[in-house]
Amino acid sequence: MAIPATQREHVADRDRMNIVIAGHVDHGKSTIIGRLLADTHSLPEGKLEQVKALCARTAKPFEYAFLLDALKDEQAQGITIDAARVFFKTPARDYIIIDAPGHIEFLKNMITGAARAEAALLVIDANEGVMENSRRHGYMMSMLGIAQVAVLVNKMDLVDYSQAHFARLESEYRGFLDRVGVRPSVFIPVAGRGGDNIAGPSTRLAWYRGPTVLDTLDAFPSPRAQENQPFRMPVQDVYKFTGRGDDRRIVSGTVESGRARVGDDVVFYPSGKRSTIGSIEGFNRAPAAEISAGEAVGFTLREQIYVSRGELAAVGDEKRPHLSSRLKVSLFWLGRRPLVRSKPYVLKIGTARATVHVEAIHRVIDASDLSAADGRDRVERHEVAECTLACNRAVAFDVGDAVAATSRFVIVDDYEISGGGIVREALPDRQDSARERVLLREYKWEPSFIAPERRAARTAPRPIRSSAVSRRGRTNWLTGSSSATSRARVRAAWAAERSPHASSASAR
Ligand code: GTP
Ligand code: MG
């Protein structure tokens, strides 16, 4: 994957941060983004005037939110917008703002989409106050492990920029968020439409001395902080090169946390296979010595091992991810049909998938008023639940907020993402001890406590007459396809071993 010199110039070493903007319908999310783009001069030349003129011609009042629609085909101009993502820059760093139109889209973006949020802006309308979705979205932040949150109290013009009104709302919403474990760094009074406290301070809100929205974005601690966590990269794909003399296999994915260098020992979970990073390669970058959180990359391995999509790569001497088929989780359910115990679902975590059942529903919580119920046998739409999930095989994951991206999961019901949440705990399963031994065996020989002579004597089917035939331990190395041919070879090997006249017992 050689990179043309022209492309290398684009590989700037700038910080990039994904921010999700959430809130109740019509509370002003799109307006705030539109205003942020306009006030930071991120719009293409003449765009604002063009949209304003179009509104005037069609006798439609101008909305900053229209800018987002108008920008959808502006990729060539250096600003790109797709269904839910807006790209913009400040001198400090690059941002992707995810404006999710609904819960499901929000959830999909957070867990399976290319964009994952490291921080969130929660918008509430000062006039309407804290609504159901303000609470639900707050709860989702907590369940998705998004610790960095700022609250924008929008439409302050509708409440006469009142400090007392703002203080009441702040106290009410802070109280709710606190109960679900979300602690916003700041509450900002804003007016998206008027641009108050968006990219610059507002004289109408002179009583407020805190940061603007723009200051707040730049003040969120860098996602690079995640580089200090253990290395995690869910394997997206393995590319095999077949060109002349090029037999590289590149293991690719997005680094969710930590860093890894050429020469580092990597272990893939749940298989436990190990190798060493040979080289780091990428489509849009020069070969590098190191990869870190947020980068979509690939690496080659020094010793070839068979790994495939769904494994989770970690660095050998760092904290291991958990492995289990039983997971204690907090999840929110958005499916049209309730989550029930008897039905198989698909669990997606990282790039892995497994069939999953709900083993137990411990508690069901109403996400908007936090009332809880025990002893329920189903989870209805919009409810949050603490459950135990049982998968048909072990999966690799982290727990709680340790590495948020690899502890988040979604549940698919009949091809539709219907719920998601965060793993709180890895529960023991029946394979626990066996798995541990298998993982060790992958890289360490374990001596047996039984001497070869004793084993031979014990397993001998009859008194040994000829010293040429004894049940000594041996390894029969069988290669080829895992089909009937291999089974035939095994039988041949056994037959040869039983016969004292066999010249060779090894399979070819
Ligand atoms: P959805 O995407 O539909 O959930 O809405 P949204 O949250 O993106 O809200 P949007 O930005 O579309 O704004 C909804 C309405 O609120 C629009 O008519 C805006 O003009 C209006 N609005 C947004 N900000 C302000 C503000 O600061 N003051 C006033 N008075 N109205 C505002
Ligand atoms: Mg909108």
Side-chain angles (χ1 to χ4, degrees), residues 21-34 61-66 68 99-102 123 125 127 133 137 153-159 161 190-196 198:
I21 185 161
H24 199 74
V25 63
D26 270 356
H27 278 198
K29 302 174 289 290
S30 305
T31 305
I32 290 169
I33 299 175
F62 168 77
E63 291 273 355
Y64 276 93
F66 294 161
L68 303 192
D99 178 13
V123 179
D125 179 327
N127 195 35
N133 282 352
H137 286 165
V153 180
N154 189 31
K155 308 195 190 181
M156 284 300 292
D157 53 306
L158 298 182
V159 296
Y161 306 98
V190 305
R193 217 187 244 174
D196 303 82
I198 303 292

Side-chain angles (χ1 to χ4, degrees), residues 369-380:
D369 65 12
L370 303 185
S371 59
D374 296 335
R376 290 263 300 270
D377 64 349
R378 53 178 52 207
V379 184
E380 303 286 347

Side-chain angles (χ1 to χ4, degrees), residues 322-339:
H322 293 272
L323 284 184
S324 183
S325 60
R326 290 178 70 235
L327 289 66
K328 181 129 185 234
V329 303
S330 296
L331 62 79
F332 41 87
W333 191 250
L334 304 166
R336 271 170 287 164
R337 285 178 301 264
L339 175 73

Side-chain angles (χ1 to χ4, degrees), residues 309-379:
R309 182 184 165 90
E311 298 261 349
L312 179 61
V315 163
D317 53 4
E318 292 183 346
K319 186 178 182 320
R320 268 175 26 187
H322 293 272
L323 284 184
S324 183
S325 60
R326 290 178 70 235
L327 289 66
K328 181 129 185 234
V329 303
S330 296
L331 62 79
F332 41 87
W333 191 250
L334 304 166
R336 271 170 287 164
R337 285 178 301 264
L339 175 73
V340 291
R341 288 186 45 192
S342 51
K343 192 173 172 189
Y345 298 94
V346 172
L347 175 89
K348 288 190 184 181
I349 188 158
T351 50
R353 334 165 108 236
T355 304
V356 70
H357 276 90
V358 178
E359 183 183 296
I361 298 172
H362 306 292
R363 214 151 71 104
V364 178
I365 303 150
D366 182 320
S368 64
D369 65 12
L370 303 185
S371 59
D374 296 335
R376 290 263 300 270
D377 64 349
R378 53 178 52 207
V379 184

